[in-house]
Amino acid sequence: MDSNKDQLEQIMSKIHADDVKFIRFEQTDIYGVARSKTVPVKHFTKKAIYGINFALTTLGYDPQGQCTPGTGFLFESGSTDALMFPDLDTFITIPWCKNTGRILLEPTYKGKPVAAHPRTVARIQLDRLKDMGYSLLSAHEHEFYVADKNTLEPFILGQNIRSTIRNYKDPELVHQLLTDLPQADIDVETYESEHDPGQLEITYTPSFGIKSADTAHTFRTSVKEIASQHGYIASFMTKPWAHSTRNGCHFNHSLWDINGENNLMMDNKNPDSLSDVARHWLAGILAHAPAVSLLMAPTINCLKAFEPSSTSINPVNATWGFDNRTTALRVKVGDTGAYIENRICSGGANPYLILAATVAAGIDGIQNQMEPPPHVNGNAYDPNNIPTKTPILPSNMKTALENLSNDNIICEALGDEFVKCFVAHKLHELCMENEAKAKGDTDWERNLFFEYL
Protein backbone atom coordinates (compact mmCIF):
# COMPACT_ATOMS: atom_id res chain seq x y z
CA MET A 1 0.00 0.00 0.00
CA ASP A 2 2.90 2.36 0.79
CA SER A 3 4.30 1.83 -2.72
CA ASN A 4 0.87 2.59 -4.24
CA LYS A 5 0.66 5.73 -2.11
CA ASP A 6 4.10 6.82 -3.31
CA GLN A 7 3.15 6.12 -6.92
CA LEU A 8 -0.06 8.09 -6.60
CA GLU A 9 1.86 11.03 -5.16
CA GLN A 10 4.30 10.86 -8.09
CA ILE A 11 1.42 10.77 -10.56
CA MET A 12 -0.26 13.74 -8.89
CA SER A 13 3.02 15.68 -9.10
CA LYS A 14 3.17 14.94 -12.83
CA ILE A 15 -0.49 15.88 -13.23
CA HIS A 16 0.17 19.27 -11.66
CA ALA A 17 3.44 19.81 -13.56
CA ASP A 18 1.79 19.00 -16.92
CA ASP A 19 -1.42 20.92 -16.11
CA VAL A 20 -3.52 17.78 -16.61
CA LYS A 21 -7.23 18.40 -16.12
CA PHE A 22 -8.68 15.10 -17.37
CA ILE A 23 -7.56 11.47 -17.22
CA ARG A 24 -8.69 8.70 -19.52
CA PHE A 25 -9.27 5.42 -17.72
CA GLU A 26 -8.65 3.08 -20.66
CA GLN A 27 -8.71 -0.63 -21.47
CA THR A 28 -8.45 -2.94 -24.45
CA ASP A 29 -11.31 -5.03 -25.77
CA ILE A 30 -10.96 -8.46 -27.40
CA TYR A 31 -10.07 -6.96 -30.78
CA GLY A 32 -7.52 -4.52 -29.33
CA VAL A 33 -9.75 -1.47 -29.68
CA ALA A 34 -9.13 1.11 -26.93
CA ARG A 35 -12.24 1.89 -24.86
CA SER A 36 -12.22 4.50 -22.13
CA LYS A 37 -13.98 6.85 -19.74
CA THR A 38 -12.62 10.35 -19.12
CA VAL A 39 -12.48 11.52 -15.51
CA PRO A 40 -11.92 15.11 -14.29
CA VAL A 41 -8.68 15.32 -12.32
CA LYS A 42 -10.41 16.05 -8.99
CA HIS A 43 -11.87 12.50 -9.05
CA PHE A 44 -8.67 10.75 -10.14
CA THR A 45 -7.33 9.67 -6.75
CA LYS A 46 -10.65 8.22 -5.62
CA LYS A 47 -11.10 6.25 -8.85
CA ALA A 48 -7.49 5.07 -8.76
CA ILE A 49 -7.88 3.69 -5.23
CA TYR A 50 -11.44 2.36 -5.24
CA GLY A 51 -11.84 1.55 -8.92
CA ILE A 52 -14.16 2.69 -11.68
CA ASN A 53 -17.24 0.89 -12.97
CA PHE A 54 -17.08 -0.25 -16.58
CA ALA A 55 -19.64 -2.49 -18.26
CA LEU A 56 -18.38 -6.04 -18.80
CA THR A 57 -20.20 -5.92 -22.14
CA THR A 58 -16.99 -4.38 -23.51
CA LEU A 59 -15.70 -7.94 -23.94
CA GLY A 60 -18.76 -8.73 -26.06
CA TYR A 61 -18.27 -5.93 -28.60
CA ASP A 62 -17.01 -6.22 -32.15
CA PRO A 63 -14.74 -3.41 -33.43
CA GLN A 64 -17.79 -1.24 -34.23
CA GLY A 65 -19.22 -1.68 -30.72
CA GLN A 66 -21.95 -4.05 -31.88
CA CYS A 67 -22.89 -7.03 -29.72
CA THR A 68 -21.50 -10.50 -30.40
CA PRO A 69 -23.74 -13.35 -29.13
CA GLY A 70 -22.38 -16.17 -27.02
CA THR A 71 -19.42 -14.42 -25.39
CA GLY A 72 -20.85 -14.72 -21.89
CA PHE A 73 -20.61 -10.98 -21.30
CA LEU A 74 -23.83 -9.55 -22.70
CA PHE A 75 -27.40 -10.37 -21.67
CA GLU A 76 -26.40 -13.76 -20.25
CA SER A 77 -24.40 -11.90 -17.58
CA GLY A 78 -27.10 -9.28 -17.04
CA SER A 79 -24.88 -6.73 -18.79
CA THR A 80 -23.29 -6.17 -15.39
CA ASP A 81 -20.47 -3.83 -14.41
CA ALA A 82 -16.88 -4.76 -13.71
CA LEU A 83 -14.92 -2.80 -11.13
CA MET A 84 -11.76 -1.77 -12.94
CA PHE A 85 -8.51 -0.80 -11.31
CA PRO A 86 -5.64 1.09 -12.94
CA ASP A 87 -2.07 -0.10 -13.23
CA LEU A 88 -0.31 2.96 -11.85
CA ASP A 89 2.81 2.20 -13.90
CA THR A 90 0.88 3.03 -17.08
CA PHE A 91 0.08 6.70 -16.44
CA ILE A 92 1.16 9.05 -19.25
CA THR A 93 0.36 12.57 -20.35
CA ILE A 94 -1.06 12.69 -23.88
CA PRO A 95 0.75 15.48 -25.76
CA TRP A 96 -1.70 15.62 -28.71
CA CYS A 97 -4.78 15.91 -26.46
CA LYS A 98 -4.91 19.12 -24.44
CA ASN A 99 -4.58 18.80 -20.64
CA THR A 100 -5.21 15.05 -20.76
CA GLY A 101 -3.57 12.03 -19.16
CA ARG A 102 -4.22 8.31 -19.56
CA ILE A 103 -3.96 5.22 -17.40
CA LEU A 104 -4.64 1.57 -18.28
CA LEU A 105 -7.13 -0.70 -16.53
CA GLU A 106 -7.87 -4.32 -15.75
CA PRO A 107 -11.34 -5.52 -14.66
CA THR A 108 -12.43 -7.41 -11.58
CA TYR A 109 -15.81 -9.00 -10.92
CA LYS A 110 -16.89 -9.92 -7.41
CA GLY A 111 -13.34 -9.32 -6.25
CA LYS A 112 -11.64 -11.57 -8.80
CA PRO A 113 -9.82 -10.77 -12.08
CA VAL A 114 -11.92 -11.20 -15.22
CA ALA A 115 -10.13 -14.15 -16.81
CA ALA A 116 -11.28 -13.36 -20.36
CA HIS A 117 -9.73 -9.88 -20.45
CA PRO A 118 -6.76 -9.80 -22.88
CA ARG A 119 -4.43 -7.93 -20.51
CA THR A 120 -5.23 -10.39 -17.73
CA VAL A 121 -4.64 -13.35 -20.06
CA ALA A 122 -1.24 -11.94 -21.08
CA ARG A 123 -0.24 -11.18 -17.50
CA ILE A 124 -1.13 -14.72 -16.38
CA GLN A 125 1.18 -16.18 -19.04
CA LEU A 126 3.99 -13.86 -17.96
CA ASP A 127 3.44 -14.96 -14.34
CA ARG A 128 3.76 -18.59 -15.43
CA LEU A 129 7.00 -17.74 -17.20
CA LYS A 130 8.29 -15.91 -14.11
CA ASP A 131 7.54 -18.96 -11.95
CA MET A 132 9.86 -20.91 -14.28
CA GLY A 133 12.66 -18.40 -13.73
CA TYR A 134 12.39 -16.40 -16.97
CA SER A 135 11.44 -12.91 -18.06
CA LEU A 136 10.44 -11.76 -21.54
CA LEU A 137 11.93 -8.80 -23.40
CA SER A 138 9.79 -7.93 -26.41
CA ALA A 139 8.45 -5.36 -28.85
CA HIS A 140 5.74 -5.41 -31.51
CA GLU A 141 6.86 -4.19 -34.94
CA HIS A 142 3.89 -2.38 -36.51
CA GLU A 143 2.97 -1.63 -40.10
CA PHE A 144 -0.07 0.50 -40.89
CA TYR A 145 -1.85 2.28 -43.72
CA VAL A 146 -2.62 6.00 -43.74
CA ALA A 147 -5.57 7.09 -45.89
CA ASP A 148 -7.71 10.18 -46.41
CA LYS A 149 -10.54 9.90 -43.87
CA ASN A 150 -13.17 10.92 -46.43
CA THR A 151 -12.09 9.10 -49.60
CA LEU A 152 -9.99 6.31 -48.05
CA GLU A 153 -7.38 6.99 -50.73
CA PRO A 154 -3.82 6.18 -49.50
CA PHE A 155 -1.97 9.37 -48.63
CA ILE A 156 1.04 8.19 -50.66
CA LEU A 157 0.46 6.73 -54.13
CA GLY A 158 2.63 4.20 -55.91
CA GLN A 159 5.09 1.63 -54.59
CA ASN A 160 8.67 2.49 -53.69
CA ILE A 161 9.66 1.15 -50.30
CA ARG A 162 11.83 3.41 -48.10
CA SER A 163 12.06 6.13 -50.72
CA THR A 164 13.09 9.27 -48.85
CA ILE A 165 10.65 11.37 -50.86
CA ARG A 166 7.81 9.06 -49.85
CA ASN A 167 8.95 9.09 -46.22
CA TYR A 168 8.08 12.78 -45.97
CA LYS A 169 5.00 13.04 -48.14
CA ASP A 170 3.28 14.83 -45.24
CA PRO A 171 6.09 16.30 -43.12
CA GLU A 172 3.74 17.74 -40.49
CA LEU A 173 2.23 14.32 -39.80
CA VAL A 174 5.66 12.68 -39.63
CA HIS A 175 7.03 15.40 -37.38
CA GLN A 176 4.16 15.07 -34.92
CA LEU A 177 4.42 11.28 -34.82
CA LEU A 178 8.15 11.35 -34.16
CA THR A 179 7.85 14.20 -31.64
CA ASP A 180 4.76 13.14 -29.69
CA LEU A 181 5.20 9.37 -29.47
CA PRO A 182 8.34 9.59 -27.29
CA GLN A 183 6.44 11.92 -24.94
CA ALA A 184 3.91 9.09 -24.53
CA ASP A 185 6.69 6.76 -23.33
CA ILE A 186 7.21 5.20 -26.78
CA ASP A 187 10.95 5.23 -27.51
CA VAL A 188 10.89 5.42 -31.32
CA GLU A 189 13.89 3.87 -33.07
CA THR A 190 13.03 4.04 -36.78
CA TYR A 191 10.44 5.40 -39.20
CA GLU A 192 10.09 4.41 -42.87
CA SER A 193 7.63 4.06 -45.70
CA GLU A 194 6.68 0.46 -46.46
CA HIS A 195 5.88 -1.45 -49.63
CA ASP A 196 2.35 -0.44 -50.59
CA PRO A 197 0.70 2.95 -51.21
CA GLY A 198 0.15 4.74 -47.91
CA GLN A 199 1.89 2.05 -45.85
CA LEU A 200 4.29 3.04 -43.06
CA GLU A 201 6.31 1.38 -40.33
CA ILE A 202 7.56 2.72 -37.00
CA THR A 203 9.64 0.68 -34.58
CA TYR A 204 10.50 1.34 -30.95
CA THR A 205 12.67 -0.15 -28.20
CA PRO A 206 11.58 -3.34 -26.39
CA SER A 207 10.33 -3.64 -22.82
CA PHE A 208 10.13 -6.37 -20.23
CA GLY A 209 6.89 -8.03 -19.21
CA ILE A 210 3.42 -6.58 -19.71
CA LYS A 211 4.84 -3.14 -20.52
CA SER A 212 5.59 -4.44 -24.02
CA ALA A 213 1.91 -5.06 -24.79
CA ASP A 214 0.91 -1.85 -23.00
CA THR A 215 3.28 0.08 -25.26
CA ALA A 216 1.86 -1.60 -28.35
CA HIS A 217 -1.67 -0.71 -27.24
CA THR A 218 -0.60 2.88 -26.62
CA PHE A 219 1.23 3.07 -29.94
CA ARG A 220 -1.74 1.94 -32.04
CA THR A 221 -4.19 4.30 -30.39
CA SER A 222 -1.71 7.18 -30.50
CA VAL A 223 -0.96 6.79 -34.20
CA LYS A 224 -4.67 6.65 -35.01
CA GLU A 225 -5.44 9.77 -32.98
CA ILE A 226 -2.55 11.79 -34.39
CA ALA A 227 -3.40 10.78 -37.95
CA SER A 228 -7.01 11.82 -37.37
CA GLN A 229 -5.86 15.32 -36.42
CA HIS A 230 -4.30 15.60 -39.88
CA GLY A 231 -7.39 14.44 -41.77
CA TYR A 232 -6.39 10.77 -42.09
CA ILE A 233 -7.36 7.34 -40.86
CA ALA A 234 -4.39 5.23 -39.73
CA SER A 235 -5.37 1.58 -39.96
CA PHE A 236 -3.63 -1.54 -38.67
CA MET A 237 -6.22 -3.72 -40.43
CA THR A 238 -4.22 -6.56 -41.97
CA LYS A 239 -5.39 -6.39 -45.61
CA PRO A 240 -7.57 -3.33 -46.28
CA TRP A 241 -7.67 -4.06 -50.00
CA ALA A 242 -7.74 -7.44 -51.70
CA HIS A 243 -4.39 -7.03 -53.42
CA SER A 244 -2.65 -5.00 -50.73
CA THR A 245 0.44 -6.11 -48.86
CA ARG A 246 -0.54 -7.14 -45.37
CA ASN A 247 0.13 -5.02 -42.31
CA GLY A 248 2.35 -7.15 -40.14
CA CYS A 249 2.94 -6.94 -36.41
CA HIS A 250 6.07 -9.02 -36.03
CA PHE A 251 6.70 -9.92 -32.39
CA ASN A 252 10.39 -9.61 -31.57
CA HIS A 253 11.25 -11.29 -28.30
CA SER A 254 13.87 -13.03 -26.20
CA LEU A 255 14.07 -14.87 -22.89
CA TRP A 256 16.12 -13.40 -20.07
CA ASP A 257 16.83 -14.32 -16.48
CA ILE A 258 14.34 -13.24 -13.86
CA ASN A 259 16.19 -9.97 -13.19
CA GLY A 260 16.42 -9.04 -16.87
CA GLU A 261 20.22 -9.03 -16.80
CA ASN A 262 21.22 -11.92 -19.08
CA ASN A 263 19.91 -13.00 -22.48
CA LEU A 264 19.31 -16.75 -22.24
CA MET A 265 18.77 -17.48 -25.93
CA MET A 266 22.40 -17.91 -26.99
CA ASP A 267 25.03 -20.55 -26.21
CA ASN A 268 28.23 -20.42 -28.25
CA LYS A 269 29.02 -24.00 -27.23
CA ASN A 270 26.25 -25.21 -29.54
CA PRO A 271 26.89 -25.37 -33.31
CA ASP A 272 24.12 -22.90 -34.16
CA SER A 273 24.85 -20.68 -31.10
CA LEU A 274 21.30 -21.18 -29.79
CA SER A 275 20.80 -22.27 -26.20
CA ASP A 276 18.81 -25.37 -25.35
CA VAL A 277 16.04 -23.24 -23.84
CA ALA A 278 15.85 -21.19 -27.06
CA ARG A 279 15.46 -24.36 -29.11
CA HIS A 280 12.73 -25.68 -26.81
CA TRP A 281 10.95 -22.32 -26.96
CA LEU A 282 11.16 -22.26 -30.76
CA ALA A 283 9.87 -25.81 -30.97
CA GLY A 284 6.88 -25.03 -28.75
CA ILE A 285 5.78 -22.11 -30.88
CA LEU A 286 6.15 -24.15 -34.07
CA ALA A 287 4.31 -27.16 -32.61
CA HIS A 288 1.35 -25.00 -31.63
CA ALA A 289 1.50 -22.64 -34.63
CA PRO A 290 -1.63 -24.06 -36.34
CA ALA A 291 -3.63 -23.16 -33.20
CA VAL A 292 -1.97 -19.98 -31.91
CA SER A 293 -1.94 -18.42 -35.38
CA LEU A 294 -5.60 -17.57 -34.76
CA LEU A 295 -4.57 -15.47 -31.75
CA MET A 296 -1.82 -13.84 -33.80
CA ALA A 297 -3.90 -13.31 -36.94
CA PRO A 298 -7.38 -13.32 -35.42
CA THR A 299 -9.79 -12.10 -38.10
CA ILE A 300 -11.08 -13.50 -41.37
CA ASN A 301 -9.21 -10.64 -42.99
CA CYS A 302 -5.94 -11.48 -41.19
CA LEU A 303 -5.97 -15.14 -42.16
CA LYS A 304 -6.02 -14.32 -45.87
CA ALA A 305 -2.42 -13.21 -45.51
CA PHE A 306 -1.40 -16.87 -45.05
CA GLU A 307 -2.38 -17.63 -48.63
CA PRO A 308 0.74 -18.00 -50.81
CA SER A 309 1.51 -14.73 -52.58
CA SER A 310 4.03 -13.52 -55.11
CA THR A 311 3.89 -9.92 -53.89
CA SER A 312 4.51 -10.07 -50.13
CA ILE A 313 6.73 -11.98 -47.71
CA ASN A 314 4.27 -13.61 -45.30
CA PRO A 315 4.74 -16.97 -43.60
CA VAL A 316 2.60 -19.83 -44.87
CA ASN A 317 3.97 -22.72 -42.80
CA ALA A 318 5.41 -23.50 -39.36
CA THR A 319 9.07 -23.07 -40.23
CA TRP A 320 12.09 -21.29 -38.79
CA GLY A 321 15.41 -20.05 -40.09
CA PHE A 322 18.36 -17.80 -39.37
CA ASP A 323 17.64 -14.29 -40.66
CA ASN A 324 15.12 -15.79 -43.08
CA ARG A 325 12.07 -13.64 -43.78
CA THR A 326 10.22 -16.42 -45.61
CA THR A 327 9.86 -18.47 -42.41
CA ALA A 328 7.35 -18.09 -39.58
CA LEU A 329 10.08 -17.60 -36.98
CA ARG A 330 13.13 -15.58 -38.00
CA VAL A 331 16.04 -16.07 -35.59
CA LYS A 332 18.66 -13.36 -35.20
CA VAL A 333 21.95 -14.13 -33.45
CA GLY A 334 24.33 -11.34 -32.51
CA ASP A 335 27.42 -10.79 -30.40
CA THR A 336 25.52 -10.22 -27.16
CA GLY A 337 22.46 -12.41 -27.55
CA ALA A 338 19.75 -13.82 -29.76
CA TYR A 339 16.10 -13.06 -30.34
CA ILE A 340 13.15 -14.40 -32.34
CA GLU A 341 11.02 -12.43 -34.77
CA ASN A 342 7.59 -14.08 -34.77
CA ARG A 343 6.39 -13.21 -38.27
CA ILE A 344 3.03 -14.97 -37.97
CA CYS A 345 1.52 -11.95 -36.24
CA SER A 346 -0.71 -9.56 -38.19
CA GLY A 347 -1.48 -5.88 -37.79
CA GLY A 348 -5.13 -6.64 -37.01
CA ALA A 349 -4.21 -8.66 -33.91
CA ASN A 350 -4.56 -7.62 -30.28
CA PRO A 351 -0.99 -7.06 -28.94
CA TYR A 352 -1.86 -8.63 -25.59
CA LEU A 353 -3.04 -11.82 -27.27
CA ILE A 354 0.06 -11.98 -29.49
CA LEU A 355 2.18 -11.95 -26.35
CA ALA A 356 -0.05 -14.40 -24.48
CA ALA A 357 -0.17 -16.95 -27.31
CA THR A 358 3.59 -16.78 -27.93
CA VAL A 359 4.38 -17.32 -24.26
CA ALA A 360 1.83 -20.12 -23.78
CA ALA A 361 3.26 -22.06 -26.73
CA GLY A 362 6.87 -21.38 -25.77
CA ILE A 363 6.30 -22.53 -22.20
CA ASP A 364 5.00 -25.89 -23.43
CA GLY A 365 8.12 -26.26 -25.54
CA ILE A 366 10.35 -25.69 -22.51
CA GLN A 367 8.34 -27.90 -20.16
CA ASN A 368 8.42 -30.81 -22.62
CA GLN A 369 11.95 -30.11 -23.88
CA MET A 370 10.73 -30.09 -27.46
CA GLU A 371 13.24 -29.97 -30.29
CA PRO A 372 12.50 -27.91 -33.41
CA PRO A 373 12.59 -29.35 -36.92
CA PRO A 374 15.61 -28.51 -39.09
CA HIS A 375 15.84 -24.83 -39.93
CA VAL A 376 15.10 -23.70 -43.47
CA ASN A 377 17.81 -22.34 -45.72
CA GLY A 378 16.47 -20.33 -48.63
CA ASN A 379 12.85 -20.08 -49.74
CA ALA A 380 10.38 -21.53 -47.22
CA TYR A 381 7.61 -21.20 -49.84
CA ASP A 382 9.30 -23.94 -51.89
CA PRO A 383 7.99 -27.34 -50.69
CA ASN A 384 11.37 -28.86 -51.56
CA ASN A 385 13.06 -26.69 -48.91
CA ILE A 386 10.92 -27.47 -45.89
CA PRO A 387 10.98 -30.51 -43.58
CA THR A 388 8.44 -33.24 -44.18
CA LYS A 389 5.16 -32.98 -42.26
CA THR A 390 5.61 -29.24 -41.73
CA PRO A 391 2.22 -27.82 -40.63
CA ILE A 392 0.56 -25.26 -42.87
CA LEU A 393 -0.79 -22.06 -41.30
CA PRO A 394 -4.59 -21.86 -41.66
CA SER A 395 -5.81 -19.34 -44.22
CA ASN A 396 -9.52 -19.57 -43.36
CA MET A 397 -11.50 -19.17 -40.15
CA LYS A 398 -13.11 -22.62 -40.13
CA THR A 399 -9.76 -24.43 -40.17
CA ALA A 400 -8.20 -21.98 -37.73
CA LEU A 401 -11.03 -22.52 -35.23
CA GLU A 402 -10.72 -26.29 -35.53
CA ASN A 403 -6.98 -26.06 -34.89
CA LEU A 404 -7.46 -23.92 -31.79
CA SER A 405 -10.28 -26.07 -30.39
CA ASN A 406 -8.20 -29.23 -30.85
CA ASP A 407 -5.15 -27.82 -29.05
CA ASN A 408 -5.88 -28.67 -25.41
CA ILE A 409 -2.57 -27.29 -24.16
CA ILE A 410 -3.20 -23.78 -25.53
CA CYS A 411 -6.88 -23.74 -24.58
CA GLU A 412 -6.07 -24.79 -21.02
CA ALA A 413 -3.31 -22.16 -20.75
CA LEU A 414 -5.58 -19.35 -21.95
CA GLY A 415 -8.56 -20.50 -19.88
CA ASP A 416 -12.12 -21.58 -20.64
CA GLU A 417 -13.63 -18.15 -20.03
CA PHE A 418 -11.33 -16.47 -22.54
CA VAL A 419 -11.60 -19.23 -25.16
CA LYS A 420 -15.41 -19.16 -25.02
CA CYS A 421 -15.47 -15.38 -25.49
CA PHE A 422 -12.84 -15.36 -28.24
CA VAL A 423 -14.38 -18.22 -30.22
CA ALA A 424 -17.82 -16.58 -30.06
CA HIS A 425 -16.36 -13.50 -31.78
CA LYS A 426 -14.83 -15.66 -34.50
CA LEU A 427 -18.10 -17.55 -35.11
CA HIS A 428 -19.84 -14.19 -35.35
CA GLU A 429 -17.35 -13.11 -38.01
CA LEU A 430 -18.21 -16.24 -39.99
CA CYS A 431 -21.89 -15.32 -39.78
CA MET A 432 -21.12 -11.80 -40.98
CA GLU A 433 -19.09 -13.20 -43.85
CA ASN A 434 -21.93 -15.50 -44.94
CA GLU A 435 -24.43 -12.64 -44.77
CA ALA A 436 -22.13 -10.40 -46.80
CA LYS A 437 -21.65 -13.07 -49.46
CA ALA A 438 -25.42 -13.52 -49.74
CA LYS A 439 -25.79 -9.76 -50.33
CA GLY A 440 -22.83 -9.53 -52.71
CA ASP A 441 -21.11 -7.16 -50.27
CA THR A 442 -17.36 -7.24 -50.98
CA ASP A 443 -16.51 -4.32 -48.68
CA TRP A 444 -17.79 -5.74 -45.39
CA GLU A 445 -14.33 -6.46 -43.96
CA ARG A 446 -13.05 -2.95 -44.64
CA ASN A 447 -16.28 -1.46 -43.28
CA LEU A 448 -15.91 -3.50 -40.07
CA PHE A 449 -12.19 -3.21 -39.41
CA PHE A 450 -10.55 -0.28 -41.23
CA GLU A 451 -11.44 2.65 -38.98
CA TYR A 452 -11.04 1.07 -35.55
CA LEU A 453 -8.27 -1.52 -35.98
Side-chain angles (χ1 to χ4, degrees), residues 148-197:
D148 183 279
K149 65 169 56 176
N150 295 315
T151 66
L152 298 190
E153 287 292 317
F155 88 124
I156 306 173
L157 300 179
Q159 295 176 330
N160 195 352
I161 187 170
R162 300 185 186 94
S163 160
T164 297
I165 294 174
R166 285 166 57 85
N167 284 349
Y168 292 90
K169 179 67 174 178
D170 187 332
E172 291 186 1
L173 171 64
V174 173
H175 183 269
Q176 187 174 358
L177 286 169
L178 300 184
T179 301
D180 284 3
L181 290 174
Q183 296 179 57
D185 201 24
I186 299 166
D187 186 10
V188 173
E189 283 193 316
T190 66
Y191 158 79
E192 63 189 76
S193 61
E194 262 292 343
H195 182 271
D196 265 23

Side-chain angles (χ1 to χ4, degrees), residues 374-396:
H375 69 271
V376 174
N377 289 311
N379 186 359
Y381 305 137
D382 185 344
N384 297 316
N385 288 341
I386 65 174
T388 57
K389 299 183 179 180
T390 295
I392 302 301
L393 300 179
S395 59
N396 65 82

Side-chain angles (χ1 to χ4, degrees), residues 140-143 216 220 246-252 342 344-349 351 354:
H140 301 70
E141 182 182 331
H142 307 267
E143 296 165 338
R220 286 159 52 106
R246 82 159 181 170
N247 280 327
C249 184
H250 303 154
F251 186 55
N252 300 286
N342 181 349
I344 299 172
C345 312
S346 290
I354 287 175

